[in-house]
Amino acid sequence: MKVLVPVKRVIDYNVKVRVKADGTGVDLANVKMSMNPFDEIALEEAIRMKEAGTASEVVAVSIGVKQAQETLRTALAMGADRAILIVAADDVHTDIEPLAVAKLLKAVIDAEQPGLVIGGKQAIDNDMNATGQMLSALVGWSQATFASELKVEGEHAVVTREVDGGLQTIKVKMPAIVTVDLRLNEPRYASLPNIMKAKKKPLEEKTPADYGVDVSPRLTVLKTVEPAERAAGVMVGSVDELVAKLKDEAGVL
Amino acid sequence: MAVLLLAEVTDGALALDATSKAVTAATQLGEVTVLCAGAHAADAGQDAAKIDGVARVLVAEDPALGHRLAEPTAALIVSLAGDYEHIAAPATTDAKNILPRVAALLDVMVISDVSGIVDGSTFERPIYAGNAVQTVQSADPKKVLTIRTSTFDAAGSGNPAPVETVAMADNPGLSEWVEDKLAASDRPELTSARIVVSGGRGVGSEENFALIEKLADKLGAAVGASRAAVDSGYAPNDWQVGQTGKVVAPELYIAIGISGAIQHLAGMKDSKVIVAINKDEEAPIFQVADYGLVADLFEAVPELEQKLG
Ligand SMILES: Cc1cc2nc3c(=O)[nH]c(=O)nc-3n(C[C@H](O)[C@H](O)[C@H](O)COP(=O)(O)OP(=O)(O)OC[C@H]3O[C@@H](n4cnc5c(N)ncnc54)[C@H](O)[C@@H]3O)c2cc1C
Ligand SMILES: Nc1ncnc2c1ncn2[C@@H]1O[C@H](COP(=O)(O)O)[C@@H](O)[C@H]1O
């Protein structure tokens, strides 16, 4: 079984995000970019399936600017067998919307015929949490989101999902679209020899036109601003003082 | 202009707080029809009908809708979509599972976690873990949105609206429910509690988390946790507050042994009053705290609990 893993290039989760003063967006020039953390977890799961013999090949796909090559090289260094880059933008500030990403991924599925797609539950830049669900709707495969456990058993997969009330386990028909939550596994680091080897692994470049997909946005970003700042607080010297402040000043107790 | 609002129904019961907050947002868009779907949803439908601002309630009952599986629930919504310009739901894990699917079936974008409504096609939503707020305008004929409930007040109750039943759509039959592991608790629900007490990695162990829970119980509060506390097994996953956990905005949020990573702040920085207890005076949590106490939590928390008596 071939496993497809969509990986997005996003601002590194440790970087302090700066909103541009003119309201046009977040400054992404010269900031550290990395693989979306959820996608590292998705990829780790796919690689483990290959190591366990459940998967035969792991294909990583990224959609965005040319620089997403780096993200795909990381994926290859972690253990993906090959990679597909769909160059859909030339400005690093252009974000391709989940609906367009899902349409492109559907086209990749049609071409590659994987048996399973494992993606992240959410991209930490747009915080949409939508692509997997949209892809599942478009291809008509079963959907299992927010996975903290994944077992593929022949014609089915059993997936435990992180939901508001706790955990839910469902059984879905294969082929399936799975999106992963943080606690599915701990992704590995790429070792130096593997980083070297990854340079020789195949990385194919495509464009949306190759798949006949229109990626024009449906949402226009009118402006991007910083959130309202909180007024500065005070430090208290003791528990007694804290209790007094909460009772008398804040009035919340 | 009409809005179809998917109510949050769990095991036949309406989640009143989440649904009423979403109703407040939805009434800004048009006349609100609430859809209650489930294996049993009639009681939830009666409860939803009493929310102020609801014009009509649709009840869909079918075993396939029992556990809010995405495929049958999305199929149901799509079968009803024709009449509505907006399709909305409170941004719960259930709705986040279902609505993007609905949007794709209708060939429109989903607008996740709407925190402000400018007009019928223009919405505000947080991005980058709440580090920025984006205003987006939709060019789609239908707008599918999930609503961040922490930024809207709950609608009150009013005269009951009429309730109708609607038929189930074809179930694609792609998935089946196996089991739920839902923690039963007498504490208030995290996203609607007036007070939340959260513990982080500093708490040190699952046993020590009892300190946090004791303080919470003294205050009649819900218990929250950082991702580090959940990953370390000190607390269950449904207690996680943050970018990828729950978003809360209580009157009082007490963060104990939590450093204040941006991903945690994303879930709690709209709380009215924030208290931080941390032994490291440099901890970033103090930058958002209204009241900060530099102390060892193993001394400060029992003392606080006792002095609240
Ligand atoms: C994609 C992604 C998503 C994430 N989503 C979330 C999320 O939704 N929610 C979330 O919380 N995190 C999330 N995180 C993790 C986040 O980045 C931080 O790692 C996490 O919040 C840290 O948790 P913590 O503050 O409990 O632990 P730490 O950062 O380790 O802080 C522990 C604190 O406890 C203090 N302490 C230790 N001992 C004591 C003591 N005896 N008395 C008093 N204080 C003490 C220390 O001074 C320290 O400040 C996410 C990360 C990623 C990459
Ligand atoms: N541009 C992209 N390229 C590759 N994968 C993507 C892209 N956008 C989204 N994804 C995948 O979809 C998941 C959810 O993203 P989102 O719906 O944008 O929050 C991510 O974790 C990725 O697995």
Side-chain angles (χ1 to χ4, degrees):
Chain A
M1 179 180 63
K2 194 192 281 186
V3 183
L4 200 69
V5 184
V7 297
K8 187 176 185 185
R9 177 180 186 266
V10 298
I11 195 167
D12 187 86
Y13 81 97
N14 275 314
V15 170
K16 170 92 185 87
V17 169
R18 242 187 290 275
V19 178
K20 289 194 265 181
D22 63 0
T24 56
V26 162
D27 194 357
L28 295 176
N30 306 316
V31 298
K32 183 173 179 212
M33 304 293 281
S34 299
M35 190 187 300
N36 183 39
F38 289 97
D39 305 353
E40 292 181 353
I41 295 169
L43 184 60
E44 174 68 33
E45 197 65 17
I47 296 165
R48 287 188 194 181
M49 286 177 66
K50 189 177 172 200
E51 287 166 349
T54 344
S56 52
E57 190 184 24
V58 177
V59 182
V61 188
S62 195
I63 294 150
V65 289
K66 191 130 187 150
Q67 293 91 315
Q69 273 181 356
E70 295 159 23
T71 315
L72 288 170
R73 287 289 167 210
T74 307
L76 295 169
M78 278 175 72
D81 297 295
R82 58 195 175 84
I84 302 169
L85 170 62
I86 306 176
V87 182
D90 36 47
D91 179 352
V92 290
H93 296 94
T94 308
D95 192 40
I96 308 297
E97 288 173 353
L99 181 61
V101 171
K103 287 182 179 180
L104 286 168
L105 292 174
K106 176 183 187 297
V108 174
I109 287 176
D110 291 342
E112 293 281 341
Q113 302 287 320
L116 176 68
V117 177
I118 315 179
K121 90 163 175 183
Q122 173 173 346
I124 62 160
D125 50 2
N126 64 24
D127 281 333
M128 278 287 184
N129 192 336
T131 304
Q133 298 87 314
M134 292 188 133
L135 178 60
S136 159
L138 296 181
V139 294
W141 291 3
S142 62
Q143 146 179 347
T145 52
F146 324 150
S148 63
E149 238 182 284
L150 166 63
K151 274 191 272 185
V152 177
E153 296 166 349
E155 298 296 297
H156 292 95
V158 177
V159 181
T160 300
R161 310 178 49 237
E162 296 205 5
V163 295
D164 282 340
L167 297 170
Q168 178 186 63
T169 303
I170 59 173
K171 187 170 158 189
V172 300
K173 271 197 187 140
M174 295 291 280
I177 311 285
V178 175
T179 77
V180 307
D181 217 315
L182 294 169
R183 279 167 282 274
L184 181 63
N185 61 46
E186 285 238 19
R188 70 193 64 191
Y189 291 101
S191 67
L192 197 57
N194 285 342
I195 293 173
M196 299 313 288
K197 267 194 247 161
K199 291 187 175 148
K200 297 205 190 74
K201 288 186 180 175
L203 194 165
E204 192 183 353
E205 264 189 43
K206 297 274 195 184
T207 65
D210 294 337
Y211 297 106
V213 173
D214 176 10
V215 297
S216 343
R218 305 294 185 86
L219 306 178
T220 309
V221 180
L222 299 183
K223 65 173 181 200
T224 306
V225 298
E226 298 224 9
E229 260 200 60
R230 291 186 72 89
V234 295
M235 298 304 283
V236 295
S238 67
V239 170
D240 285 319
E241 197 187 334
L242 177 61
V243 173
K245 292 265 192 209
L246 289 176
K247 281 194 173 142
D248 308 332
E249 196 175 273
V252 286
L253 288 184
Chain B
M1 299 233 238
V3 189
L4 180 66
L5 178 75
L6 177 68
E8 181 73 5
V9 178
T10 310
D11 289 339
L14 180 75
L16 184 63
D17 186 75
T19 307
S20 311
K21 286 172 174 167
V23 168
T24 298
T27 49
Q28 296 178 36
L29 298 167
E31 190 185 76
V32 179
T33 298
V34 172
L35 170 64
C36 292
H40 305 283
D43 291 351
Q46 295 300 331
D47 291 342
K50 291 184 216 135
I51 300 173
D52 208 9
V54 172
R56 190 163 69 124
V57 173
L58 307 178
V59 170
E61 291 191 322
D62 190 282
L65 297 169
H67 300 281
R68 304 284 297 271
L69 293 173
E71 300 95 341
T73 314
L76 169 70
I77 295 172
V78 170
S79 75
L80 298 169
D83 299 340
Y84 303 95
E85 184 182 340
H86 295 90
I87 297 170
T92 58
T93 46
D94 276 345
K96 288 178 172 177
N97 191 32
I98 296 163
L99 285 210
R101 187 176 179 90
V102 169
L105 292 171
L106 296 172
D107 192 30
V108 302
M109 253 300 281
V110 68
I111 308 167
S112 308
D113 264 317
V114 167
S115 58
I117 292 171
V118 180
D119 61 38
S121 51
T122 315
F123 308 93
E124 290 170 357
R125 56 180 304 268
I127 53 173
Y128 292 93
N131 272 305
V133 180
Q134 203 176 50
T135 305
V136 292
Q137 190 167 48
S138 167
D140 282 323
K142 285 188 194 299
K143 285 83 183 165
V144 176
L145 30 136
T146 59
I147 293 165
R148 176 168 278 216
T149 51
S150 62
T151 57
F152 295 93
D153 292 329
S157 57
N159 287 331
V163 180
E164 293 163 35
T165 55
V166 289
M168 175 56 192
D170 280 342
N171 178 7
L174 295 168
S175 49
E176 50 188 282
W177 173 81
V178 178
E179 68 169 342
D180 282 336
K181 279 198 192 131
L182 306 182
S185 161
D186 296 334
R187 296 198 183 96
E189 204 264 316
L190 191 51
T191 54
S192 58
R194 197 181 74 82
I195 304 178
V196 174
V197 182
S198 288
R201 196 197 314 267
V203 176
S205 69
E206 190 181 356
E207 294 72 50
N208 291 348
F209 225 81
L211 276 177
I212 305 293
E213 297 179 48
K214 243 173 114 184
L215 176 60
D217 291 340
K218 191 80 168 242
L219 290 164
V223 186
S226 70
R227 174 190 170 187
V230 176
D231 284 4
S232 311
Y234 308 169
N237 67 285
D238 51 305
W239 289 4
Q240 182 176 312
V241 170
Q243 180 185 19
T244 51
K246 289 189 176 138
V247 179
V248 303
E251 278 179 40
L252 175 59
Y253 187 90
I254 308 183
I256 300 167
I258 292 178
S259 62
I262 186 68
Q263 293 86 5
H264 187 79
L265 303 186
M268 47 64 79
K269 71 181 160 56
D270 291 330
S271 304
K272 290 220 175 64
V273 174
I274 298 174
V275 170
I277 302 177
N278 195 303
K279 69 176 181 192
D280 172 12
E281 60 179 311
E282 303 283 315
I285 189 77
F286 288 126
Q287 288 163 22
V288 300
D290 298 281
Y291 303 107
L293 176 64
V294 178
D296 186 330
L297 71 91
F298 296 104
E299 287 161 23
V301 174
E303 187 185 342
L304 179 59
E305 193 236 311
Q306 185 216 329
K307 288 188 169 151
L308 289 171

